[in-house]
Amino acid sequence: MAVKETTISETKREELFKNVIDAVNTLRKINITFKDILLSPIDIDGYERDIKAKIEKMMNQLQTKASKDELSVRDADDFRKYYYHLLSFEKIIRLPGIDIQQVLDESQEKMIAKVDNLNKEITSSISNAVAVSAALMKIKFYAKNLSMFEKHINEEIDNALKRYKLSQGAAGITRLSMELEKTDIGARLISEHSNLSGEDWRKR
């Protein structure tokens, strides 16, 4: 089962980890059933240590990505891969001594903090359409590439646009839209957020 396939599909991820459990349980049954035949039992503990080591490595990789000041497209792809696999693993398998949920929560907090910092940039540069546009596009990048937080981040964008419109008025929205339309992600902002798409700014 390919990593790309399991990253995209929750069903495939859960199937993968259920297969892991089934395999370990099968080995345990073999040990019990053939204990008088096997010269030495299958090292189940060794398999579990190996699984634990791989999960701990994935947790560290997720934390490393979450701790970066900014994420590239590759970073975001990796973040999704680690986050979703850990989320499904935690749902299916519990290993003693590993707190996957805490790592997931901390990673989420760090990503949301990035959005919060960009929101602060918008507030401090509220009269500068170029600066606001740049910050909004960075936030939209996170919404587009971190699907697990997409709804929350898009709500943050809507709130930022409401504040901007309240501060700068329709003329400000026009200036902002003209900046945003210069890039694909800016055009996506215009089409997906009503405070921008609702403005027939091209006629102004």
Side-chain angles (χ1 to χ4, degrees):
M1 196 176 293
V3 172
K4 183 176 181 180
E5 186 179 7
T6 55
T7 300
I8 294 171
S9 170
E10 180 180 2
T11 301
K12 292 293 184 182
R13 289 194 302 274
E14 292 185 1
E15 178 186 342
L16 170 65
F17 294 129
K18 284 175 182 175
N19 287 341
V20 170
I21 290 180
D22 290 343
V24 172
N25 288 337
T26 298
L27 293 175
R28 283 201 178 97
K29 289 177 182 177
I30 290 172
N31 272 347
I32 293 170
T33 303
F34 300 103
K35 63 181 179 180
D36 296 328
I37 299 174
L38 295 172
L39 294 176
S40 60
I42 299 169
D43 185 10
I44 306 296
D45 290 340
Y47 282 108
E48 291 183 339
R49 283 194 300 271
D50 187 47
I51 292 169
K52 185 175 180 180
K54 286 179 168 59
I55 292 301
E56 287 176 334
K57 181 179 179 181
M58 200 181 302
M59 290 163 66
N60 290 333
Q61 289 170 319
L62 178 67
Q63 289 175 312
T64 297
K65 294 297 180 182
S67 297
K68 297 188 75 169
D69 291 336
E70 290 188 19
L71 268 62
S72 65
V73 173
R74 174 66 182 274
D75 290 329
D77 288 345
D78 287 342
F79 184 95
R80 282 198 315 277
K81 176 176 65 180
Y82 303 141
Y83 187 95
Y84 279 134
H85 280 86
L86 287 170
L87 185 66
S88 292
F89 186 92
E90 197 270 342
K91 182 178 178 181
I92 302 298
I93 304 174
R94 296 298 173 91
L95 290 177
I98 290 184
D99 193 343
I100 294 176
Q101 190 59 54
Q102 181 180 348
V103 171
L104 293 173
D105 290 344
E106 289 174 354
S107 297
Q108 177 176 348
E109 288 171 6
K110 288 177 181 177
M111 299 312 302
I112 298 305
K114 291 175 178 41
V115 174
D116 290 343
N117 288 335
L118 288 165
N119 259 322
K120 290 175 184 176
E121 287 184 23
I122 291 172
T123 300
S124 63
S125 307
I126 199 74
S127 61
N128 185 336
V130 175
V132 171
S133 170
L136 282 170
M137 286 189 287
K138 288 180 181 179
I139 297 175
K140 191 62 178 178
F141 169 85
Y142 291 129
K144 176 185 175 185
N145 289 283
L146 301 176
S147 51
M148 66 288 289
F149 312 134
E150 181 179 11
K151 183 176 183 293
H152 173 80
I153 296 174
N154 277 327
E155 288 173 353
E156 289 295 310
I157 292 173
D158 286 334
N159 290 334
L161 288 170
K162 288 175 185 176
R163 294 196 308 273
Y164 182 84
K165 187 174 184 179
L166 186 64
S167 171
Q168 302 299 305
I173 290 291
T174 299
R175 290 193 298 273
L176 181 61
S177 297
M178 291 175 69
E179 287 298 325
L180 290 170
E181 73 160 352
K182 295 175 182 178
T183 66
D184 289 342
I185 197 163
R188 183 167 182 163
L189 269 158
I190 292 171
S191 68
E192 293 183 0
H193 295 273
S194 59
N195 274 296
L196 294 168
S197 60
E199 288 289 319
D200 193 7
W201 57 271
R202 289 181 179 84
K203 294 182 180 179
R204 294 181 184 275

